[in-house]
Amino acid sequence: MAPTFSFRVLHTDGAARCGEMTTSHGVVQTPAFMPVGTRGAVKGVTPRDLREVGAEIILGNTYHLWLRPGDGLIARLGGLHRFTGWDGPILTDSGGFQAFSLGEKRAITEDGIRFRSHLDGSEHLLTPEGATEIQARLGPDIAMVLDECLAQPAPDSAVKESTERSARWARRCRDRFLALSGRGPGSCSEVAITNPGQAQFGIVQGGTVPELRTLSAERTLAIGFEAYAIGGLSVGERADTMYSVVGHTAPQLPADRPRYLMGVGTPLDIVEAVSRGIDLFDCVMPTRNARNGQLFTSEGRLTIKNARFADDQGPPDPSCACYTCRTHSRAYLRHLFVSGEIGAAVLNTIHNLRFYLDTMARVRHAIVFGTLETLRQSLQAMFSRP
Ligand SMILES: [Zn+2]
């Protein structure tokens, strides 16, 4: 186990846990939500804003940073923390999800994912070893293994084949990671390591088939990572299907390590997953929806461009203490949005991130006081999917 990475559970409420995850750039209170900073920036906001809304850890995307500005350049500039000005914990994904999302522009072999860049059409091969080395240069506190993100729905045979390949790739990622950190065989003098305290998480795949989730969990745990994630969900399946896969998989992951549900979700999805034992989340929803003019509030979703807000002097969310809600009216935010002002994206993003991070604080509080079910019911009333 990487010496600087640790996790401890402080309170439980049913299967839900409230804890502390220590990384080489600080401590994260869990359950935690990670704002998504795809290209080394959370769209619309600065690291100063992120601190103010209560973010403790953010996520970056290996695929994007590798292609531009390049992992070599970021390593020469001291790694992602110094480059971006965010000095708190960072997690990077492996790049697999973005590469898979290229559709016809990519092909998967046992070697890795061959694809054409969305920027200039140039051809690249992302291998398990390569994804591990790129993340060593980028220097996040938590690196993810390269896995195959199969499009759903898929026949069980394809899910099985993909799950087995992900397990083989996970082994290769771990071997390279151990070599890079001087704990395994292999030469790696050509890789500049910018964060010696980096931890690496394995990913459990298996689609929506319980037996394959169990198989993937067994294979991934046998390799041994600092912690484990559940991948391949929130890709178009029904909410109750996702909850049942999480409920099946989370108890199979070690209780003394954080559990990360990748790419999820709405405030309701998050509390449903927390109640099944998940500790970490990331999702583009609060930031992307903010740019599209949708606010998450204590009264549910609010579409700011709606004409009824044209002369509404009230704050976006009367229960929110963020900069946007303290300073501006719904009428002003509507005006900015319909005028196409950059400030609309900035102010809406500050509010939505604060709402998500406040929700996580309420979740942690509820676990300590044994009232998570009450909170779940109130979020269900506001955020059930149509
Ligand atoms: Zn607010």
Side-chain angles (χ1 to χ4, degrees), residues 71-111:
D71 51 316
L73 177 77
I74 290 175
R76 286 197 297 284
L77 296 174
L80 263 183
H81 294 89
R82 196 179 298 175
F83 182 58
T84 63
W86 168 261
D87 60 2
I90 300 176
L91 178 148
T92 52
D93 70 356
S94 67
F97 184 78
Q98 277 74 28
F100 278 102
S101 306
L102 294 170
E104 288 174 4
K105 288 193 222 148
R106 53 99 176 134
I108 295 130
T109 66
E110 190 61 27
D111 271 358

Side-chain angles (χ1 to χ4, degrees), residues 316-317 320-326 350-352 354-355:
D317 183 349
C320 180
C322 81
Y323 170 79
T324 304
C325 292
R326 291 196 318 268
I350 287 173
H351 166 75
N352 273 0
R354 176 71 181 254
F355 181 81

Side-chain angles (χ1 to χ4, degrees), residues 162-344:
S162 164
T163 303
E164 303 260 5
R165 177 180 286 134
S166 284
R168 292 191 296 273
W169 283 4
R171 174 78 261 170
R172 287 164 58 188
C173 286
R174 191 60 178 176
D175 287 346
R176 196 65 184 142
F177 179 83
L178 292 175
L180 289 168
S181 56
R183 290 176 284 163
S187 165
C188 38
S189 55
E190 76 283 8
V191 180
I193 293 162
T194 55
N195 184 353
Q198 187 174 90
Q200 187 186 45
F201 286 12
I203 304 174
V204 174
Q205 287 285 350
T208 55
V209 187
E211 297 75 27
L212 291 177
R213 286 280 168 185
T214 299
L215 175 74
S216 180
E218 285 170 0
R219 295 279 177 87
T220 312
L221 264 66
I223 297 167
F225 292 92
E226 277 71 44
Y228 302 89
I230 299 175
L233 290 176
S234 202
V235 289
E237 76 283 359
R238 291 166 48 99
D240 54 358
T241 303
M242 176 171 81
Y243 302 157
S244 99
V245 173
V246 172
H248 171 83
T249 312
Q252 302 184 48
L253 305 178
D256 63 348
R257 309 290 172 94
R259 302 167 178 147
Y260 166 27
L261 179 58
M262 302 178 78
V264 174
T266 67
L268 176 61
D269 291 339
I270 288 175
V271 76
E272 291 281 0
V274 165
S275 71
R276 290 165 173 81
I278 300 295
D279 310 292
L280 289 172
F281 300 89
D282 77 281
C283 188
V284 295
M285 207 176 282
T287 42
R288 179 182 290 164
N289 291 21
R291 299 194 300 281
N292 295 330
Q294 188 182 70
L295 301 178
F296 290 91
T297 78
S298 59
E299 297 162 352
R301 297 173 201 249
L302 184 156
T303 304
I304 199 67
K305 74 174 177 193
N306 203 309
R308 68 195 164 97
F309 300 127
D311 55 7
D312 186 335
Q313 295 183 66
D317 183 349
S319 301
C320 180
C322 81
Y323 170 79
T324 304
C325 292
R326 291 196 318 268
T327 316
H328 298 297
S329 63
R330 291 173 174 182
Y332 182 62
L333 291 186
R334 177 180 184 275
H335 160 70
L336 292 183
F337 185 80
V338 298
S339 307
E341 284 289 335
I342 293 171

Side-chain angles (χ1 to χ4, degrees), residues 10-33:
L10 302 172
H11 301 276
T12 59
D13 179 4
R17 307 110 63 78
C18 176
E20 264 181 10
M21 179 175 76
T22 302
T23 76
S24 48
H25 284 80
V27 175
V28 177
Q29 308 298 319
T30 65
F33 178 80

